[in-house]
Amino acid sequence: MQAIVKTEARPGAEIQRVAVPEIGPRDVLVRVKAASVCGTDLHIYRWDRWSERRIHPPLVFGHEFCGEVESVGAEVTTARAGDFVSAEMHVACGRCFQCRTGQRHICQNVRIIGIDMDGCFAEFVKIPESNIWKIDPAIPVDYAAVLDPLGNAVHTVLAGEIAGLSVAVTGCGPIGLFAIAVAKACGAGPIFASEPHPYRMKLAEKMGASVVIDSPGTDPAAEVLARTEGVGADVVLEMSGNPQAIRQAFQMLRRGGRISLLGIPSKPLELDLANDVIFKGAVVQGINGRRVFETWYKMQALLKSGALDLAPLITDRMPMSDFARGVELLLSGNASKVLLYPDGVPGAAGR
Ligand code: NAD
Ligand code: ZN
């Protein structure tokens, strides 16, 4: 099969012919219909310090996709050939404290398909049965291919109360933009968004942000405070990982509000804990992945309700062989979700 392979420990990736994965008795082989490029794939492509430590080439990367079940192992009972599926790509150990107490999204021994094992930038991908998510056929292929990052957004937005509350989203990459759409669908408002890139600022507006702040050009904390009579936002969703944005996120939170941190800073940073957390009585949450499968059920319900229009965020569609072009687009910031199709780009309806 054709696959995008990180062949060696250096920048770039190659399109190669590799063997179709062999499945074990509890595995499912999925024929990939559409895959989507994530920020993590950009790290792997560029070969940064994180990749050097974590990735062991050769590796077929990619972890956002949907497809059709091709075949199943002898002991598989819950999936069969022809099913329309995606998957939770974090494979939990099933044995650690967290796995045994209903928190497999923070498993101590998690392994990620597309990072620690061959992923979905290929014609076929192997998934353990326990990680398969069956997709309602009413959901279009293009949306089904982005359930992984949409799930990050749903998990973050719904990690506390949201309806009728003011929300600030710092960082409008794909996940921040999804979060704006989800918060709006769940009855939040007003929604403040901060982002430096003009293309993504426009998308934030399109997704339903009431106010889009050019950060760091304008101080977003001062702006949110000014627009909330000095009170601050009830809920802050940090989705940039940028140290300055993280500090501002704490400053724009109202006393007693909730801040949920999804963005990953590349190194430790300094915070004013006394003023921005303790005296504020802030509720601070770390957000990792998606709850398995609680977030998936909620996400599917939101999609089926028709309340989420994600079309503006699927900015580019191309054959999988154009992968390098998709990466360049994303690196320029002039894209949100780039979809790759192993069998060529389907018709405009995307179903
Ligand atoms: P992304 O890098 O595309 O988005 C980050 C956005 O933040 C960009 O649009 C960038 O322009 C913006 N930004 C940079 N500096 C800013 C500033 N000072 N103020 C406001 N915005 C600023 O990434 P993404 O794919 O949307 O993911 C968002 C973050 O979440 C990343 O840090 C990513 O590593 C992290 N992430 C976390 C998890 C998790 O499970 N916790 C999962 C996926 C991604
Ligand atoms: Zn575990």
Side-chain angles (χ1 to χ4, degrees):
M1 65 172 184
Q2 297 267 12
I4 296 167
V5 189
K6 187 79 192 178
T7 51
E8 282 178 65
R10 58 173 157 83
E14 283 173 36
I15 299 175
Q16 284 193 335
R17 283 201 83 77
V18 300
V20 172
E22 271 180 40
I23 56 168
R26 294 188 182 167
D27 293 327
V28 174
L29 185 69
V30 183
R31 179 185 285 275
V32 176
K33 278 189 168 193
S36 166
V37 185
C38 167
T40 307
D41 303 318
L42 304 184
H43 291 294
I44 298 173
Y45 186 85
R46 294 165 82 179
W47 202 246
D48 61 5
R49 280 180 56 200
W50 170 83
S51 309
E52 270 174 32
R53 286 196 300 265
R54 180 72 184 262
I55 305 293
H56 303 288
L59 176 82
V60 175
F61 54 123
H63 58 270
E64 302 177 2
F65 81 105
C66 67
E68 201 171 287
V69 172
E70 179 79 5
S71 59
V72 302
E75 292 172 21
V76 170
T77 57
T78 58
R80 59 179 178 191
D83 284 350
F84 181 34
V85 299
S86 183
E88 170 56 59
M89 297 299 247
H90 290 202
V91 180
C93 74
R95 295 181 306 273
C96 73
F97 176 87
Q98 283 72 17
C99 282
R100 286 162 59 88
T101 54
Q103 299 184 296
R104 65 186 258 204
H105 66 294
I106 45 173
C107 167
Q108 293 176 34
N109 310 304
V110 69
R111 298 183 73 230
I112 303 177
I113 304 172
I115 291 177
D116 304 308
M117 306 168 258
D118 281 342
C120 65
F121 289 162
E123 289 174 64
F124 296 96
V125 59
K126 175 175 89 170
I127 307 286
E129 177 186 16
S130 55
N131 285 58
I132 287 282
W133 174 256
K134 281 200 208 178
I135 305 167
D136 190 294
I139 294 174
V141 165
D142 287 3
Y143 290 12
V146 299
L147 293 178
D148 177 296
L150 178 62
N152 291 134
V154 170
H155 182 189
T156 315
V157 172
L158 296 183
E161 266 192 68
I162 197 77
L165 299 180
S166 60
V167 175
V169 177
T170 53
C172 299
I175 303 179
L177 291 166
F178 282 138
I180 293 170
V182 173
K184 192 171 168 77
C186 294
I191 300 174
F192 305 100
S194 71
E195 165 66 41
H197 199 288
Y199 181 89
R200 293 178 169 194
M201 287 178 71
K202 272 208 193 83
L203 282 176
E205 205 179 305
K206 226 180 221 175
M207 296 320 288
S210 337
V211 181
V212 183
I213 305 156
D214 176 7
S215 159
T218 306
D219 177 354
E223 192 70 19
V224 169
L225 287 167
R227 288 173 181 270
T228 52
E229 295 168 359
V231 172
D234 297 317
V235 177
V236 177
L237 311 175
E238 206 308 298
M239 305 215 145
S240 75
N242 176 281
Q244 186 183 10
I246 293 172
R247 279 188 285 269
Q248 289 164 339
F250 278 95
Q251 289 159 11
M252 65 178 73
L253 182 70
R254 78 151 158 78
R255 288 180 166 244
R258 174 214 356 160
I259 179 164
S260 300
L261 303 161
L262 173 103
I264 304 171
S266 56
K267 50 182 193 238
L269 58 94
E270 222 172 84
L271 287 177
D272 184 352
L273 272 187
N275 289 308
D276 290 341
V277 176
I278 298 165
F279 297 142
K280 259 194 181 173
V283 176
V284 183
Q285 287 176 324
I287 300 288
N288 189 352
R290 299 144 297 278
R291 293 194 67 96
V292 189
F293 279 92
E294 186 186 341
T295 304
W296 291 82
Y297 281 107
K298 289 183 178 171
M299 175 162 54
Q300 180 135 301
L302 277 166
L303 283 171
K304 282 183 71 180
S305 76
L308 288 181
D309 177 12
L310 306 180
L313 299 184
I314 313 281
T315 51
D316 302 271
R317 306 161 87 227
M318 56 190 72
M320 196 171 273
S321 50
D322 283 0
F323 171 75
R325 181 162 67 87
V327 166
E328 292 307 326
L329 258 173
L330 282 165
L331 290 174
S332 76
N334 290 321
S336 182
K337 287 318 280 183
V338 173
L339 297 199
L340 307 171
Y341 305 84
D343 298 329
V345 181
R351 277 168 201 270

